[in-house]
Amino acid sequence: MIAENLIYSDLRGIESHGISNLPIYVKRAKLGLYNLSGDIDILNLDKDIPLLLIDGKNNMGQVAAYKAVEPLVNKAKKSGIAAAFIGNTNHCGSLGYYGNMIANNDCIFIGMTNAPASMAPWGGKVKFVGTNPLCITIPYNGQVINLDMATSTVAKGKIYVALSKGDKIPDNWAFDANGKPTTDPQEALKGTLYPLGGYKGFGLAMLIDIISGLLTGSSWGPEVGSLHNTLDRGQDVGIVFIAINITDLMPIKEYNEKINCYIEKMKSVPRSDDNIEIMFPGEPELRKMEERLKNGIPINDKTYEEVIELAKEYNINFEV
Protein backbone atom coordinates (compact mmCIF):
# COMPACT_ATOMS: atom_id res chain seq x y z
CA MET A 1 0.00 0.00 0.00
CA ILE A 2 2.73 2.42 0.99
CA ALA A 3 4.98 1.58 -1.97
CA GLU A 4 2.12 2.05 -4.45
CA ASN A 5 1.29 5.43 -2.91
CA LEU A 6 4.90 6.63 -3.14
CA ILE A 7 5.23 5.45 -6.75
CA TYR A 8 1.89 7.07 -7.65
CA SER A 9 3.33 10.40 -6.50
CA ASP A 10 6.72 10.09 -8.17
CA LEU A 11 5.22 8.93 -11.46
CA ARG A 12 3.14 12.11 -11.55
CA GLY A 13 6.02 14.39 -10.59
CA ILE A 14 4.71 15.00 -7.06
CA GLU A 15 8.15 14.39 -5.57
CA SER A 16 7.26 15.92 -2.21
CA HIS A 17 5.07 12.85 -1.54
CA GLY A 18 7.21 10.22 -3.25
CA ILE A 19 10.23 8.09 -2.39
CA SER A 20 11.90 11.12 -0.78
CA ASN A 21 9.74 10.29 2.26
CA LEU A 22 11.02 6.73 2.55
CA PRO A 23 13.95 7.57 4.89
CA ILE A 24 11.75 9.39 7.42
CA TYR A 25 9.14 6.61 7.28
CA VAL A 26 11.84 4.04 8.07
CA LYS A 27 13.30 6.23 10.81
CA ARG A 28 9.90 6.60 12.49
CA ALA A 29 9.28 2.87 12.21
CA LYS A 30 12.67 2.09 13.82
CA LEU A 31 11.83 4.48 16.67
CA GLY A 32 8.59 2.58 17.28
CA LEU A 33 6.40 5.56 16.39
CA TYR A 34 4.08 3.51 14.14
CA ASN A 35 1.78 0.63 14.89
CA LEU A 36 2.87 -1.69 12.08
CA SER A 37 0.20 -4.35 12.63
CA GLY A 38 -2.09 -3.01 9.89
CA ASP A 39 -5.01 -3.46 12.29
CA ILE A 40 -7.63 -0.68 12.33
CA ASP A 41 -11.13 -0.41 13.84
CA ILE A 42 -14.03 0.51 11.55
CA LEU A 43 -17.10 1.60 13.50
CA ASN A 44 -20.63 1.92 12.08
CA LEU A 45 -19.75 -0.65 9.42
CA ASP A 46 -22.92 -2.65 9.99
CA LYS A 47 -25.15 0.28 10.89
CA ASP A 48 -27.61 1.61 8.33
CA ILE A 49 -26.01 5.07 8.23
CA PRO A 50 -23.66 6.48 5.58
CA LEU A 51 -20.93 7.42 8.06
CA LEU A 52 -17.84 5.45 9.00
CA LEU A 53 -15.78 6.35 12.06
CA ILE A 54 -12.37 4.72 11.81
CA ASP A 55 -9.69 4.40 14.47
CA GLY A 56 -6.40 4.23 12.57
CA LYS A 57 -4.74 2.92 15.75
CA ASN A 58 -1.57 4.87 14.92
CA ASN A 59 -0.92 2.86 11.76
CA MET A 60 0.89 4.53 8.90
CA GLY A 61 -1.58 6.86 7.22
CA GLN A 62 -1.50 5.01 3.89
CA VAL A 63 -2.67 1.82 5.59
CA ALA A 64 -5.58 3.39 7.45
CA ALA A 65 -6.67 5.43 4.41
CA TYR A 66 -6.38 2.53 1.95
CA LYS A 67 -8.43 0.26 4.20
CA ALA A 68 -11.17 2.90 4.42
CA VAL A 69 -11.77 2.99 0.66
CA GLU A 70 -13.65 -0.29 0.08
CA PRO A 71 -16.15 0.06 2.95
CA LEU A 72 -16.64 3.73 2.01
CA VAL A 73 -17.47 2.86 -1.60
CA ASN A 74 -19.83 0.12 -0.42
CA LYS A 75 -21.66 2.64 1.79
CA ALA A 76 -21.85 5.15 -1.07
CA LYS A 77 -23.26 2.54 -3.46
CA LYS A 78 -25.94 1.76 -0.88
CA SER A 79 -26.78 5.29 0.28
CA GLY A 80 -25.75 7.48 -2.67
CA ILE A 81 -23.22 9.37 -0.56
CA ALA A 82 -21.00 8.32 2.35
CA ALA A 83 -18.17 9.69 4.45
CA ALA A 84 -15.29 8.11 6.36
CA PHE A 85 -13.80 9.96 9.34
CA ILE A 86 -10.37 8.48 10.03
CA GLY A 87 -8.64 9.42 13.27
CA ASN A 88 -5.48 8.51 15.19
CA THR A 89 -3.24 8.02 12.17
CA ASN A 90 -0.28 9.55 10.35
CA HIS A 91 0.79 11.19 7.08
CA CYS A 92 -1.11 9.36 4.32
CA GLY A 93 0.73 10.56 1.20
CA SER A 94 -1.06 11.88 -1.88
CA LEU A 95 -4.82 12.19 -1.44
CA GLY A 96 -5.19 11.83 -5.19
CA TYR A 97 -4.13 8.19 -4.89
CA TYR A 98 -7.31 7.40 -2.95
CA GLY A 99 -9.28 9.68 -5.25
CA ASN A 100 -8.21 7.49 -8.17
CA MET A 101 -9.38 4.37 -6.36
CA ILE A 102 -12.80 5.84 -5.61
CA ALA A 103 -13.28 7.44 -9.04
CA ASN A 104 -12.61 4.02 -10.60
CA ASN A 105 -15.81 2.91 -8.87
CA ASP A 106 -17.89 5.57 -10.69
CA CYS A 107 -17.86 7.82 -7.64
CA ILE A 108 -16.82 11.40 -7.00
CA PHE A 109 -14.18 11.77 -4.28
CA ILE A 110 -13.69 14.64 -1.83
CA GLY A 111 -10.80 14.19 0.58
CA MET A 112 -9.06 16.31 3.18
CA THR A 113 -6.57 15.91 5.99
CA ASN A 114 -4.94 18.11 8.56
CA ALA A 115 -1.18 18.46 8.89
CA PRO A 116 1.50 19.85 11.22
CA ALA A 117 1.26 23.58 11.85
CA SER A 118 3.11 25.58 9.21
CA MET A 119 0.88 28.63 8.56
CA ALA A 120 -0.01 31.47 10.88
CA PRO A 121 -3.59 32.72 11.24
CA TRP A 122 -4.13 35.60 8.80
CA GLY A 123 -2.58 38.60 10.54
CA GLY A 124 -0.47 36.45 12.90
CA LYS A 125 3.18 35.36 12.77
CA VAL A 126 3.23 32.06 14.70
CA LYS A 127 2.36 28.69 13.15
CA PHE A 128 -1.13 27.45 13.98
CA VAL A 129 -2.59 25.39 11.09
CA GLY A 130 -1.06 23.01 8.57
CA THR A 131 -1.03 23.07 4.78
CA ASN A 132 -4.20 20.96 5.18
CA PRO A 133 -4.81 19.69 1.62
CA LEU A 134 -8.09 19.36 -0.23
CA CYS A 135 -8.60 16.88 -3.06
CA ILE A 136 -11.53 16.45 -5.46
CA THR A 137 -11.40 13.64 -8.02
CA ILE A 138 -13.96 12.70 -10.68
CA PRO A 139 -13.85 10.02 -13.39
CA TYR A 140 -13.12 11.16 -16.94
CA ASN A 141 -12.57 9.17 -20.11
CA GLY A 142 -10.95 6.18 -18.39
CA GLN A 143 -8.75 8.52 -16.34
CA VAL A 144 -9.58 11.15 -13.74
CA ILE A 145 -9.84 14.89 -13.31
CA ASN A 146 -7.97 15.46 -10.08
CA LEU A 147 -7.55 18.66 -8.09
CA ASP A 148 -5.14 17.89 -5.24
CA MET A 149 -3.96 21.07 -3.57
CA ALA A 150 -2.45 22.37 -0.37
CA THR A 151 -4.12 25.37 1.24
CA SER A 152 -0.73 27.07 1.32
CA THR A 153 0.81 28.58 -1.81
CA VAL A 154 2.98 25.47 -1.99
CA ALA A 155 3.06 22.14 -0.13
CA LYS A 156 5.65 22.06 2.63
CA GLY A 157 7.10 18.88 1.13
CA LYS A 158 8.31 20.91 -1.86
CA ILE A 159 10.45 22.98 0.48
CA TYR A 160 12.00 19.78 1.85
CA VAL A 161 12.66 18.68 -1.75
CA ALA A 162 14.34 22.02 -2.52
CA LEU A 163 16.43 21.65 0.65
CA SER A 164 17.50 18.13 -0.32
CA LYS A 165 18.51 19.36 -3.80
CA GLY A 166 20.28 22.46 -2.47
CA ASP A 167 17.90 24.70 -4.45
CA LYS A 168 16.50 28.12 -3.64
CA ILE A 169 12.72 28.60 -3.44
CA PRO A 170 10.58 31.40 -4.95
CA ASP A 171 10.17 34.39 -2.64
CA ASN A 172 6.37 33.96 -2.51
CA TRP A 173 6.39 30.50 -0.94
CA ALA A 174 7.27 31.26 2.66
CA PHE A 175 8.31 33.70 5.35
CA ASP A 176 11.30 33.34 7.68
CA ALA A 177 10.97 33.38 11.48
CA ASN A 178 10.75 37.18 11.39
CA GLY A 179 7.83 37.18 8.95
CA LYS A 180 9.93 38.28 5.97
CA PRO A 181 9.80 36.58 2.54
CA THR A 182 12.73 34.18 2.00
CA THR A 183 14.27 32.14 -0.81
CA ASP A 184 16.22 29.92 1.62
CA PRO A 185 14.40 26.61 2.26
CA GLN A 186 16.17 26.22 5.62
CA GLU A 187 14.91 29.61 6.78
CA ALA A 188 11.46 28.85 5.35
CA LEU A 189 11.22 25.74 7.52
CA LYS A 190 11.95 27.90 10.56
CA GLY A 191 9.21 30.35 9.59
CA THR A 192 5.71 30.00 8.13
CA LEU A 193 4.20 29.19 4.74
CA TYR A 194 2.13 31.72 2.80
CA PRO A 195 -1.59 30.78 2.66
CA LEU A 196 -3.06 30.25 -0.82
CA GLY A 197 -4.89 33.47 -1.71
CA GLY A 198 -4.04 35.09 1.60
CA TYR A 199 -6.88 35.01 4.13
CA LYS A 200 -8.91 32.68 1.87
CA GLY A 201 -6.26 29.98 2.10
CA PHE A 202 -6.10 30.32 5.86
CA GLY A 203 -9.89 30.05 6.08
CA LEU A 204 -9.86 26.81 4.05
CA ALA A 205 -7.02 25.39 6.15
CA MET A 206 -8.81 26.24 9.40
CA LEU A 207 -12.09 24.58 8.38
CA ILE A 208 -10.31 21.48 7.06
CA ASP A 209 -8.47 21.29 10.39
CA ILE A 210 -11.78 21.40 12.26
CA ILE A 211 -13.52 18.83 10.03
CA SER A 212 -10.64 16.36 9.79
CA GLY A 213 -9.08 16.98 13.20
CA LEU A 214 -11.84 17.76 15.70
CA LEU A 215 -14.53 15.53 14.17
CA THR A 216 -12.26 12.46 13.97
CA GLY A 217 -11.10 12.89 17.56
CA SER A 218 -7.56 13.60 16.35
CA SER A 219 -5.17 16.42 17.14
CA TRP A 220 -5.68 19.83 15.59
CA GLY A 221 -3.82 23.11 15.16
CA PRO A 222 -0.31 23.13 16.62
CA GLU A 223 -0.92 19.80 18.40
CA VAL A 224 -0.64 17.75 15.16
CA GLY A 225 2.72 15.98 15.15
CA SER A 226 5.36 16.71 12.51
CA LEU A 227 6.43 13.89 10.20
CA HIS A 228 10.04 15.05 10.32
CA ASN A 229 10.42 16.65 13.74
CA THR A 230 7.99 15.00 16.21
CA LEU A 231 10.05 11.92 16.99
CA ASP A 232 8.58 10.93 20.37
CA ARG A 233 4.99 10.01 19.37
CA GLY A 234 2.60 9.43 16.49
CA GLN A 235 1.35 12.42 14.51
CA ASP A 236 -2.34 11.85 15.42
CA VAL A 237 -3.52 13.11 12.03
CA GLY A 238 -7.20 13.18 11.00
CA ILE A 239 -8.47 12.32 7.50
CA VAL A 240 -11.93 12.65 5.92
CA PHE A 241 -13.02 10.94 2.70
CA ILE A 242 -16.39 11.53 1.03
CA ALA A 243 -17.70 9.39 -1.86
CA ILE A 244 -20.68 10.31 -4.06
CA ASN A 245 -22.17 7.59 -6.26
CA ILE A 246 -22.66 9.10 -9.72
CA THR A 247 -25.18 6.47 -10.83
CA ASP A 248 -27.61 7.67 -8.15
CA LEU A 249 -27.58 11.05 -9.93
CA MET A 250 -27.63 9.93 -13.58
CA PRO A 251 -26.71 6.89 -15.71
CA ILE A 252 -22.93 6.59 -16.06
CA LYS A 253 -23.24 6.73 -19.87
CA GLU A 254 -24.97 10.11 -19.60
CA TYR A 255 -22.33 11.34 -17.16
CA ASN A 256 -19.51 10.31 -19.49
CA GLU A 257 -21.14 12.09 -22.43
CA LYS A 258 -21.60 15.26 -20.40
CA ILE A 259 -18.11 15.34 -18.91
CA ASN A 260 -16.53 14.69 -22.31
CA CYS A 261 -18.57 17.56 -23.77
CA TYR A 262 -17.55 19.82 -20.87
CA ILE A 263 -13.82 19.20 -21.31
CA GLU A 264 -14.05 19.52 -25.11
CA LYS A 265 -15.74 22.92 -24.81
CA MET A 266 -13.32 24.07 -22.11
CA LYS A 267 -10.32 23.22 -24.27
CA SER A 268 -11.84 25.06 -27.24
CA VAL A 269 -11.86 28.40 -25.38
CA PRO A 270 -9.61 30.92 -27.23
CA ARG A 271 -6.18 31.07 -25.62
CA SER A 272 -4.63 34.21 -24.22
CA ASP A 273 -1.22 32.88 -25.31
CA ASP A 274 -0.67 30.31 -28.07
CA ASN A 275 2.21 28.86 -26.03
CA ILE A 276 -0.08 28.04 -23.08
CA GLU A 277 -2.28 24.97 -23.40
CA ILE A 278 -5.62 24.78 -21.61
CA MET A 279 -5.59 21.72 -19.36
CA PHE A 280 -7.88 20.27 -16.71
CA PRO A 281 -6.69 19.75 -13.11
CA GLY A 282 -4.40 16.73 -12.97
CA GLU A 283 -3.70 16.66 -16.73
CA PRO A 284 -0.05 17.78 -16.40
CA GLU A 285 0.46 14.96 -13.88
CA LEU A 286 -1.15 12.42 -16.23
CA ARG A 287 1.24 13.47 -18.99
CA LYS A 288 4.18 13.29 -16.60
CA MET A 289 3.10 9.77 -15.65
CA GLU A 290 3.00 8.66 -19.30
CA GLU A 291 6.48 10.05 -19.86
CA ARG A 292 7.93 8.49 -16.70
CA LEU A 293 6.37 5.09 -17.39
CA LYS A 294 8.36 5.10 -20.62
CA ASN A 295 11.61 6.68 -19.44
CA GLY A 296 11.75 6.03 -15.69
CA ILE A 297 11.49 8.19 -12.58
CA PRO A 298 14.40 10.57 -11.88
CA ILE A 299 15.69 10.62 -8.30
CA ASN A 300 17.83 13.45 -6.92
CA ASP A 301 21.29 12.53 -5.63
CA LYS A 302 20.51 13.01 -1.93
CA THR A 303 17.40 10.79 -2.01
CA TYR A 304 19.25 8.19 -4.09
CA GLU A 305 22.10 8.05 -1.57
CA GLU A 306 19.66 7.73 1.34
CA VAL A 307 17.81 4.86 -0.36
CA ILE A 308 21.12 3.12 -1.16
CA GLU A 309 22.09 3.32 2.54
CA LEU A 310 18.70 1.89 3.58
CA ALA A 311 19.11 -0.94 1.08
CA LYS A 312 22.55 -1.78 2.51
CA GLU A 313 21.22 -1.69 6.06
CA TYR A 314 18.51 -4.22 5.23
CA ASN A 315 20.61 -6.31 2.79
CA ILE A 316 18.43 -5.42 -0.18
CA ASN A 317 19.94 -5.57 -3.66
CA PHE A 318 19.13 -2.13 -5.06
CA GLU A 319 20.72 -1.28 -8.40
CA VAL A 320 19.64 1.60 -10.65
Side-chain angles (χ1 to χ4, degrees), residues 39-89:
D39 181 36
I40 65 173
D41 287 338
I42 304 178
L43 307 178
N44 298 342
L45 187 60
D46 299 322
K47 293 183 179 179
D48 193 24
I49 58 173
L51 293 175
L52 295 169
L53 181 59
I54 298 174
D55 181 357
K57 300 178 76 170
N58 195 36
N59 273 276
M60 295 185 74
Q62 289 92 337
V63 176
Y66 187 101
K67 290 189 172 185
V69 169
E70 183 177 355
L72 175 63
V73 168
N74 290 340
K75 285 274 190 183
K77 292 293 184 180
K78 183 177 180 181
S79 303
I81 184 170
F85 288 76
I86 310 163
N88 185 20
T89 188

Side-chain angles (χ1 to χ4, degrees), residues 165-318:
K165 291 181 177 180
D167 293 342
K168 296 289 186 180
I169 61 173
D171 61 5
N172 62 349
W173 279 15
F175 304 102
D176 63 19
N178 296 315
K180 304 297 183 184
T182 181
T183 60
D184 185 337
Q186 190 75 55
E187 293 303 312
L189 293 172
K190 296 176 184 176
T192 61
L193 297 183
Y194 194 90
L196 179 68
Y199 70 90
K200 296 179 182 180
F202 169 71
L204 268 175
M206 173 186 157
L207 292 174
I208 290 171
D209 195 26
I210 291 169
I211 293 168
S212 58
L214 266 70
L215 294 182
T216 63
S218 303
S219 292
W220 47 269
E223 299 305 314
V224 179
S226 165
L227 176 65
H228 294 271
N229 300 319
T230 304
L231 300 177
D232 59 350
R233 62 178 176 87
Q235 292 181 264
D236 197 25
V237 165
I239 305 166
V240 175
F241 289 168
I242 300 169
I244 304 168
N245 186 26
I246 293 172
T247 57
D248 282 322
L249 299 171
M250 66 181 67
I252 197 65
K253 181 180 178 182
E254 180 184 349
Y255 167 81
N256 288 331
E257 290 172 351
K258 287 184 174 182
I259 194 66
N260 287 337
C261 178
Y262 186 101
I263 298 302
E264 182 180 338
K265 288 189 175 183
M266 182 196 76
K267 285 180 171 286
S268 69
V269 168
R271 303 183 193 181
S272 61
D273 185 330
D274 288 339
N275 296 315
I276 299 175
E277 184 179 354
I278 295 173
M279 292 189 280
F280 57 78
E283 188 172 1
E285 290 79 6
L286 286 173
R287 294 187 183 184
K288 178 73 71 175
M289 178 183 70
E290 292 171 0
E291 184 269 323
R292 290 189 170 185
L293 283 171
K294 291 178 182 177
N295 303 317
I297 300 170
I299 305 175
N300 69 70
D301 290 343
K302 183 174 185 295
T303 298
Y304 177 75
E305 290 166 4
E306 289 175 338
V307 174
I308 286 290
E309 289 303 312
L310 285 175
K312 289 179 181 177
E313 182 178 349
Y314 291 96
N315 298 316
I316 296 169
N317 182 23
F318 180 73

